[in-house]
Amino acid sequence: AQKITQTQPGMFVQEKEAVTLDCTYDTSDPSYGLFWYKQPSSGEMIFLIYQGSYDQQNATEGRYSLNFQKARKSANLVISASQLGDSAMYFCAMRGRRDDKIIFGKGTRLHILP
Amino acid sequence: GAVVSQHPSWVICKSGTSVKIECRSLDFQATTMFWYRQFPKQSLMLMATSNEGSKATYEQGVEKDKFLINHASLTLSTLTVTSAHPEDSSFYICSAREWGRRETQYFGPGTRLLVL
């Protein structure tokens, strides 16, 4: 069975500081993909970044980077130079190879303080 | 980027009525679409996987007769909540994967359902 764990229910960070959101996962699939999504209060799910289990390098997308440590089964999201607009719910998610479905962690609510 | 639309965005209905929610991939073909449900302050829970031209695969605990899913074409999947009750009130989100691109998973804007 696949499982995603996000242990930080909420975080408060000062604007312009870097943020690390934790995510650990468990799967028996040798091949899998890891996603991070942002959900603002409007409810839409905004794709941030993707990391394949066989990717040699950590994924980066603008201010977002994924700190992928395969042996530790962790896929932390790093947001550099946080902005007020980064305040939202953040979900870590995983897709295994055997089936196509994506499962989500419980999320972390990030508050950026001015 | 790829766009997934949902209609309606809001729906309020009386208990006992049925509600249909549409999910469309606007600029790509989606052989597989997914339906999620999200209660306030909770995570997304997968309800079912919808495959074009075949029966949907439901997650454990999801009533297939209650939540009817039809994936009629490569760009359209529908979720019908039959005989809705107040406990079905939730935020329903569809998602689609672009054919041939496993790294993608695009989400619709969601549908808020309130059953009175």
Side-chain angles (χ1 to χ4, degrees), chain B residues 41-60:
Chain B
K41 300 190 188 301
Q42 294 189 23
S43 186
L44 281 73
M45 297 302 296
L46 180 65
M47 299 174 67
T49 302
S50 165
N51 293 296
E52 188 265 337
S54 64
K55 289 184 179 180
T57 303
Y58 291 81
E59 294 299 301
Q60 193 171 11

Side-chain angles (χ1 to χ4, degrees), chain A residues 35 37 39 41-45 47 50 91 95-97 99-102 104-106, chain B residues 32 34 36 38 42-44 46 49 59 91 93 97 102-105 107-109 112:
Chain A
F35 301 78
Y37 287 89
Q39 188 179 42
S41 55
S42 61
E44 60 181 315
M45 295 292 286
F47 167 76
Y50 170 84
F91 291 100
R95 169 193 283 147
R97 186 164 185 83
D99 55 41
D100 232 2
K101 57 189 180 183
I102 286 184
F104 286 82
K106 292 189 175 182
Chain B
T32 306
F34 306 86
Y36 292 84
Q38 186 180 31
Q42 294 189 23
S43 186
L44 281 73
L46 180 65
T49 302
E59 294 299 301
F91 188 52
I93 312 176
R97 181 171 77 82
R102 286 187 59 80
E103 75 277 14
T104 65
Q105 186 86 7
F107 283 81
R112 295 193 187 276

Side-chain angles (χ1 to χ4, degrees), chain B residues 3 6 12 24 27 32 36-37 47-48 56 59 61 64 73-74 79 83-84 110 112 116:
Chain B
V3 177
Q6 269 184 254
I12 301 174
R24 292 181 186 272
D27 54 0
T32 306
Y36 292 84
R37 187 157 121 171
M47 299 174 67
E59 294 299 301
K64 58 181 70 175
S73 74
L74 287 172
L79 168 68
S83 186
R112 295 193 187 276
L116 302 176

Side-chain angles (χ1 to χ4, degrees), chain B residues 76-93:
Chain B
L76 173 65
S77 176
T78 60
L79 168 68
T80 302
V81 183
T82 62
S83 186
H85 288 97
E87 58 265 30
D88 298 324
S89 298
S90 188
F91 188 52
Y92 293 87
I93 312 176

Side-chain angles (χ1 to χ4, degrees), chain A residues 31-80:
Chain A
S31 175
Y32 49 90
L34 297 156
F35 301 78
W36 275 94
Y37 287 89
K38 172 184 178 181
Q39 188 179 42
S41 55
S42 61
E44 60 181 315
M45 295 292 286
I46 301 170
F47 167 76
L48 297 178
I49 199 165
Y50 170 84
Q51 178 85 44
S53 59
Y54 288 117
D55 293 343
Q56 294 296 316
Q57 296 197 339
N58 287 346
T60 60
E61 290 285 348
R63 293 188 299 116
Y64 305 107
S65 60
L66 199 150
N67 184 1
F68 181 46
Q69 298 189 39
K70 195 170 182 178
R72 296 178 62 184
K73 293 190 175 179
S74 77
N76 298 341
L77 177 70
V78 180
I79 306 174
S80 63

